[in-house]
Coordinates of all heavy atoms in Angstrom, one line a residue:
K1 N 16.6 -13.7 -5.6 CA 15.2 -14.0 -5.6 C 14.4 -12.7 -5.9 O 14.6 -11.7 -5.3 CB 14.8 -14.5 -4.2 CG 13.6 -15.4 -4.1 CD 13.5 -15.9 -2.7 CE 12.1 -16.6 -2.6 NZ 11.9 -17.0 -1.3
E2 N 13.5 -12.8 -6.9 CA 12.7 -11.7 -7.3 C 11.6 -11.5 -6.3 O 11.1 -12.5 -5.8 CB 12.2 -11.9 -8.7 CG 13.2 -11.8 -9.8 CD 12.6 -11.9 -11.2 OE1 11.5 -12.2 -11.3 OE2 13.4 -11.6 -12.1
P3 N 11.2 -10.3 -6.0 CA 10.1 -10.1 -5.0 C 8.8 -10.6 -5.6 O 8.6 -10.7 -6.8 CB 10.1 -8.6 -4.8 CG 10.9 -8.0 -5.9 CD 11.8 -9.1 -6.4
L4 N 7.9 -10.9 -4.7 CA 6.6 -11.3 -5.1 C 5.8 -10.1 -5.5 O 5.9 -9.0 -5.0 CB 5.9 -12.1 -4.0 CG 6.5 -13.4 -3.5 CD1 5.8 -13.9 -2.3 CD2 6.5 -14.4 -4.6
W5 N 4.9 -10.3 -6.5 CA 4.1 -9.2 -7.0 C 3.2 -8.7 -5.9 O 3.0 -7.4 -5.8 CB 3.2 -9.7 -8.2 CG 2.4 -8.7 -8.9 CD1 1.1 -8.5 -8.9 CD2 2.9 -7.6 -9.7 NE1 0.7 -7.4 -9.6 CE2 1.9 -6.8 -10.1 CE3 4.2 -7.1 -10.0 CZ2 2.0 -5.7 -10.9 CZ3 4.4 -6.0 -10.8 CH2 3.3 -5.3 -11.2
R6 N 2.6 -9.5 -5.1 CA 1.7 -9.0 -4.0 C 2.5 -8.2 -3.0 O 1.9 -7.2 -2.5 CB 1.0 -10.2 -3.3 CG 2.0 -11.1 -2.5 CD 1.1 -12.2 -1.8 NE 2.0 -13.0 -1.0 CZ 2.3 -14.2 -1.2 NH1 1.6 -14.9 -2.1 NH2 3.1 -14.9 -0.4
D7 N 3.8 -8.5 -2.8 CA 4.6 -7.6 -1.9 C 4.8 -6.2 -2.5 O 4.8 -5.2 -1.9 CB 6.0 -8.3 -1.6 CG 5.8 -9.5 -0.8 OD1 4.9 -9.6 0.1 OD2 6.7 -10.4 -0.9
L8 N 5.1 -6.2 -3.8 CA 5.3 -5.0 -4.5 C 4.1 -4.1 -4.5 O 4.2 -2.9 -4.2 CB 5.8 -5.2 -6.0 CG 7.2 -5.9 -6.1 CD1 7.4 -6.5 -7.5 CD2 8.3 -5.0 -5.7
V9 N 3.0 -4.7 -4.9 CA 1.7 -3.9 -5.0 C 1.3 -3.4 -3.6 O 0.9 -2.3 -3.4 CB 0.6 -4.8 -5.6 CG1 -0.8 -4.1 -5.5 CG2 0.9 -5.1 -7.1
G10 N 1.5 -4.3 -2.6 CA 1.1 -3.9 -1.2 C 2.0 -2.7 -0.8 O 1.6 -1.8 -0.1
A11 N 3.3 -2.8 -1.1 CA 4.2 -1.7 -0.7 C 3.9 -0.4 -1.4 O 3.9 0.7 -0.7 CB 5.7 -2.1 -1.0
V12 N 3.4 -0.5 -2.6 CA 3.0 0.8 -3.3 C 1.8 1.3 -2.7 O 1.7 2.6 -2.4 CB 2.8 0.5 -4.8 CG1 2.1 1.7 -5.5 CG2 4.1 0.2 -5.5
L13 N 0.8 0.5 -2.4 CA -0.4 1.0 -1.7 C -0.1 1.6 -0.4 O -0.6 2.7 -0.1 CB -1.4 -0.2 -1.5 CG -2.1 -0.7 -2.7 CD1 -2.9 -2.0 -2.4 CD2 -3.0 0.4 -3.3
R14 N 0.8 1.0 0.4 CA 1.1 1.6 1.7 C 1.9 2.9 1.6 O 1.6 3.9 2.2 CB 1.9 0.6 2.5 CG 2.4 1.2 3.9 CD 3.0 0.1 4.8 NE 1.8 -0.5 5.4 CZ 1.9 -1.5 6.2 NH1 3.0 -2.1 6.5 NH2 0.8 -2.1 6.7
R15 N 2.8 2.9 0.6 CA 3.6 4.1 0.4 C 2.7 5.3 0.0 O 2.9 6.4 0.5 CB 4.7 3.8 -0.7 CG 5.7 4.9 -0.9 CD 6.8 4.5 -1.8 NE 6.3 4.2 -3.1 CZ 6.6 3.2 -3.8 NH1 7.5 2.3 -3.3 NH2 6.2 2.9 -5.0
E16 N 1.8 5.0 -0.9 CA 0.9 6.1 -1.4 C 0.0 6.5 -0.2 O -0.3 7.7 -0.1 CB 0.1 5.6 -2.6 CG 0.9 5.4 -3.8 CD 1.6 6.7 -4.3 OE1 0.9 7.7 -4.3 OE2 2.8 6.6 -4.7
R17 N -0.5 5.6 0.5 CA -1.4 5.9 1.7 C -0.7 6.8 2.7 O -1.2 7.8 3.1 CB -2.0 4.7 2.3 CG -2.9 4.9 3.5 CD -3.4 3.7 4.1 NE -2.4 2.8 4.6 CZ -1.8 2.9 5.8 NH1 -2.0 4.0 6.6 NH2 -0.9 2.0 6.2
L18 N 0.5 6.4 3.0 CA 1.3 7.2 4.0 C 1.7 8.5 3.5 O 1.8 9.5 4.2 CB 2.5 6.4 4.4 CG 2.2 5.1 5.2 CD1 3.5 4.3 5.5 CD2 1.5 5.4 6.5
A19 N 2.0 8.6 2.2 CA 2.4 9.9 1.6 C 1.2 10.8 1.6 O 1.4 12.1 1.7 CB 2.8 9.7 0.1
Q20 N 0.0 10.3 1.6 CA -1.2 11.2 1.7 C -1.6 11.4 3.1 O -2.7 12.0 3.4 CB -2.3 10.5 0.9 CG -2.1 10.5 -0.6 CD -3.2 9.8 -1.4 OE1 -4.3 9.7 -0.9 NE2 -2.8 9.3 -2.5
E21 N -0.9 10.8 4.1 CA -1.2 10.9 5.5 C -2.6 10.4 5.8 O -3.3 11.0 6.6 CB -0.9 12.3 6.0 CG 0.5 12.7 5.9 CD 0.8 14.1 6.4 OE1 -0.2 14.8 6.7 OE2 2.0 14.5 6.3
R22 N -3.0 9.3 5.2 CA -4.3 8.7 5.4 C -4.2 7.4 6.2 O -3.2 6.7 6.2 CB -5.0 8.4 4.1 CG -5.2 9.8 3.3 CD -5.8 9.6 2.0 NE -7.1 9.0 2.0 CZ -7.8 8.6 0.9 NH1 -7.2 8.7 -0.3 NH2 -9.0 8.0 1.0
T23 N -5.3 7.1 6.9 CA -5.3 5.9 7.8 C -5.8 4.7 6.9 O -6.4 4.9 5.9 CB -6.2 6.1 9.0 OG1 -7.6 6.3 8.5 CG2 -5.8 7.3 9.8
L24 N -5.5 3.5 7.5 CA -6.0 2.3 6.9 C -7.6 2.4 6.8 O -8.2 2.0 5.8 CB -5.6 1.1 7.7 CG -4.3 0.5 7.3 CD1 -3.9 -0.6 8.4 CD2 -4.3 -0.2 6.0
K25 N -8.2 2.8 7.9 CA -9.6 2.9 8.0 C -10.2 3.8 6.9 O -11.2 3.5 6.2 CB -10.1 3.3 9.3 CG -11.6 3.4 9.4 CD -12.1 3.6 10.9 CE -13.5 3.7 11.1 NZ -14.4 3.3 10.0
D26 N -9.6 5.0 6.7 CA -10.0 5.9 5.7 C -10.0 5.3 4.3 O -11.0 5.4 3.6 CB -9.2 7.2 5.8 CG -9.5 8.2 4.7 OD1 -10.7 8.4 4.5 OD2 -8.6 8.8 4.2
V27 N -8.9 4.7 4.0 CA -8.7 4.2 2.6 C -9.6 2.9 2.5 O -10.3 2.8 1.4 CB -7.3 3.8 2.3 CG1 -7.1 3.1 1.0 CG2 -6.4 5.1 2.4
A28 N -9.7 2.1 3.5 CA -10.5 0.9 3.4 C -12.0 1.3 3.2 O -12.7 0.7 2.4 CB -10.3 0.0 4.6
D29 N -12.5 2.3 4.0 CA -13.8 2.8 3.8 C -14.1 3.3 2.4 O -15.1 3.0 1.8 CB -14.2 3.8 4.9 CG -14.3 3.3 6.3 OD1 -14.4 2.0 6.4 OD2 -14.3 4.1 7.2
A30 N -13.2 4.1 1.9 CA -13.4 4.6 0.6 C -13.3 3.5 -0.5 O -14.0 3.7 -1.5 CB -12.3 5.7 0.3

């Protein structure tokens, strides 16, 4: 089964946010 595009994009967003040590609130506000 191939992964869903929304799962892949979401994982990239989370990985990038965590690599920058930023919070959900910080990124959501920006």
Side-chain angles (χ1 to χ4, degrees):
K1 207 172 168 184
E2 291 183 346
L4 297 175
W5 186 247
R6 68 175 183 246
D7 291 330
L8 294 164
V9 171
V12 170
L13 288 172
R14 176 168 281 177
R15 186 172 64 227
E16 292 298 317
R17 179 179 60 78
L18 293 175
Q20 295 176 23
E21 298 179 355
R22 294 176 66 188
T23 65
L24 273 169
K25 181 170 179 12
D26 176 40
V27 175
D29 288 348

